[in-house]
Amino acid sequence: MQRWTRRALSGAAVVGAAVALLAVGAAGSPPAPSGTEPAGNVAPDGSIAALQADLERVPGDFRSWTALGGAYVQQARLTADPSYYAKAEGAFDKALALRPEDDGALTGQATLAAARHDFAGAVALSDRALAVNPDSATTWAVRSDALNELGRYDESLAAVRRMADLRPGADTSSRASYAFELRGDVDRARAALEEAVQLANLPADKAFAQYYLGELAWNTGDVEAARTAYEAGLSVDPSYLPLLAGRAKVLAAQGDTTAALGELRTVVERLPAPEFLVAYGELLEATGQSEQAQEQYDVVRATQRLFAANGQDVDTELALFEADHGTPAAAVVAAEKAHAKRPLSIFTQDAYAWALHQASRSAQALPIARQAVRLGLPSPALYYRLGTIEAAAGETAAARISLQKALSMNPDFDPLRAPEAKALLGSLR
């Protein structure tokens, strides 16, 4: 799951950052609360019903249309049901028809574009919103997240700094942490997340920061610290399901695969998002339950088709999934499409290189895979794939270094890939 998690939740964070603003309205509204996630993880069914009732009474209230759009985007995130995207789009369009160039509705459209993985569109919409209200910290947050996904990392960092000037708080600290982590500065990334925990006013915000503290510890091999962070998050917000998935990784690494499978089963029953379905399927596969694993992979394919049918770009995720569990030809097709749209993103580069390697084009994949680790992100999965590609391309000495780096970060980083990394490193020695 590690290769999915940060990217998938980055999209979720983009959505969550703007929901509080959208619930209030347009320019001149009070600033949004400080959390990167919306206030609480309870599905906003009640808010949707209340807003719909308000709009039946006052259909010309553009602020309520904006808030309804935000509630739909949040509902899509919380349920993994992309059918809410079209409803959100309609609500934002209605708000803008009532008040053209309203910065709240434009920011809402930007969050929707980001949720659909149209990150270039999210940047363009956030720029329009900032032209109306250049002092919206929430809009700067959306812009920063979208720029990260496009691989425009220095511009994203500049947006975080602008956000910090306007509204320092937990959401700014969380984004600063990611900027440090991307560049391999683990100590500063951890300090910024610890600051986010202290600054957060809401349980969901604390849970979000604790989750990424756990992820940071996991990716750098401190399994006990990872478990502590995941459980600390669950103690303040038991409904934050990524924390359960994180704890499942720890349980599996510590040998308790039965408990790990139970936790992942709980997660996918409540939130059947692809990253969790893949994690569940791969742990089933690693424990010899191939038929049950294939069932999960079939659900992943169906879910990806559903997302694509509702306007979400799934090419990067599809490329990695097909490279590992499908056909190399399909992986390359998806990866080429993703790379054409986001050639600077280290995650898109990683997916493209891996797809090429699985299609027996390792020499072509190698320079792309090396670009994917250029920032120094502490990711065992990235270095495992780089090392595997280097070995296939005949770069034995470099492959040993990359595989050793992956395993030194976390020798149990993945139930399927870590054993493969160990076996390949052994054969190279």
Side-chain angles (χ1 to χ4, degrees), residues 161-196:
R161 288 171 174 154
R162 176 63 176 145
M163 184 185 174
D165 291 339
L166 293 165
R167 191 183 70 212
D171 52 348
T172 304
S173 297
S174 296
R175 284 174 172 80
S177 168
Y178 189 33
F180 295 139
E181 183 183 353
L182 280 168
R183 293 159 175 80
D185 193 339
V186 174
D187 290 341
R188 293 177 76 186
R190 184 185 302 110
L193 280 172
E194 289 170 347
E195 180 180 67

Side-chain angles (χ1 to χ4, degrees), residues 303-390:
T303 302
Q304 288 173 327
R305 288 194 295 270
L306 178 63
F307 284 148
N310 282 276
Q312 181 164 321
D313 177 358
V314 297
D315 289 331
T316 300
E317 295 85 349
L318 183 63
L320 273 178
F321 178 75
E322 288 293 335
D324 282 334
H325 302 292
T327 62
V332 170
V333 169
E336 286 176 341
K337 289 168 63 179
H339 192 256
K341 286 176 282 193
R342 284 182 275 158
L344 301 177
S345 164
I346 60 173
F347 302 107
T348 301
Q349 290 166 342
D350 172 55
Y352 188 26
W354 192 239
L356 290 170
H357 162 73
Q358 295 289 63
S360 302
R361 295 161 61 180
S362 302
Q364 182 183 351
L366 183 54
I368 303 170
R370 285 176 170 163
Q371 277 292 299
V373 300
R374 69 186 184 275
L375 296 180
L377 174 71
S379 167
L382 283 181
Y383 284 96
Y384 154 73
R385 286 193 281 273
L386 173 60
T388 303
I389 292 168
E390 288 170 331

